[in-house]
Amino acid sequence: MYARALAVGLAAFIISTPARADSCDGLTVRLIRATGASLVGRTGSLVVFRAADAERFRLDCRNPRRLLFRSERREPLGAYFVLVGEAAHALAGAPEEAVETLTRQLHQDSLLTGVPQLGRVGGAVIRCDPGDRPDGFGLGTLCRVAADRPGRGLRRRTLHRKAGLPAAASAG
């Protein structure tokens, strides 16, 4: 309830100041409305949310703005992927179902290959890392979403190829 009240209060403030509509506060409100998540806290440019299924996700408001979704499960419940889709829509305007589908695919591919998988759909760039990570991160699932920056596709493909990573997946 507190998060909803805060969202309404923030929304009233943002509506009264149009220049701040894309501020971190404005994006926080959009994410709360889109996902139904609760605001856990904010420190500087980092905002932490908790969704109804107890999954937590984080918004980093520094440019490029990005979301980080962490699940303790190696095979998250379907609600995890729905949450990613809803949040990607709020962040980048990407179609929720396409993001959900691509995120599921990237997650499964990362588990099969053991390497991070990257894809883009509808203005969102998504990266999912495999569970059982050798860097000590531990078990679970980690996916990131950022707004795609127009005109960067060629550079990304070149860097992707130079890094020896597989071609980026895309939905559709």
Side-chain angles (χ1 to χ4, degrees):
M1 287 294 166
Y2 174 74
R4 295 257 184 225
L6 178 63
V8 171
L10 284 173
F13 174 73
I14 290 164
I15 290 169
S16 68
T17 54
R20 294 188 48 116
D22 282 336
S23 70
C24 192
D25 292 340
L27 186 51
T28 298
V29 170
R30 283 200 319 261
L31 284 165
I32 290 170
R33 286 183 177 166
T35 65
S38 301
L39 179 65
V40 173
R42 178 173 177 185
T43 303
S45 66
L46 298 177
V47 183
V48 179
F49 302 89
R50 177 178 295 139
D53 59 2
E55 296 285 357
R56 285 183 181 231
F57 66 101
R58 183 179 77 191
L59 165 67
D60 186 344
C61 288
R62 293 175 296 179
N63 283 325
R65 291 181 175 172
R66 55 201 171 276
L67 297 161
L68 175 82
F69 300 87
R70 170 90 168 92
S71 174
E72 297 296 322
R73 299 172 187 244
R74 180 177 161 91
E75 294 285 344
L77 300 175
Y80 174 87
F81 300 103
V82 171
L83 177 64
V84 174
E86 292 170 344
H89 180 72
L91 176 72
E96 292 177 27
E97 288 182 20
V99 169
E100 179 185 341
T101 300
L102 179 58
T103 304
R104 286 177 191 268
Q105 175 190 343
L106 294 173
H107 168 66
Q108 287 301 312
D109 291 348
S110 73
L111 291 178
L112 291 171
T113 63
V115 296
Q117 299 294 308
L118 182 69
R120 42 179 66 73
V121 61
V125 177
I126 304 161
R127 175 186 162 146
C128 290
D129 290 16
D132 306 329
R133 293 173 42 129
D135 64 2
F137 184 72
L139 297 175
T141 298
L142 179 66
C143 290
R144 297 172 186 90
V145 175
D148 199 0
R149 292 185 269 180
R152 303 284 245 162
L154 179 58
R155 181 169 182 241
R156 279 198 182 115
R157 283 191 299 272
T158 302
L159 292 175
H160 208 75
R161 189 176 59 250
K162 286 181 179 179
L165 296 172
S170 60

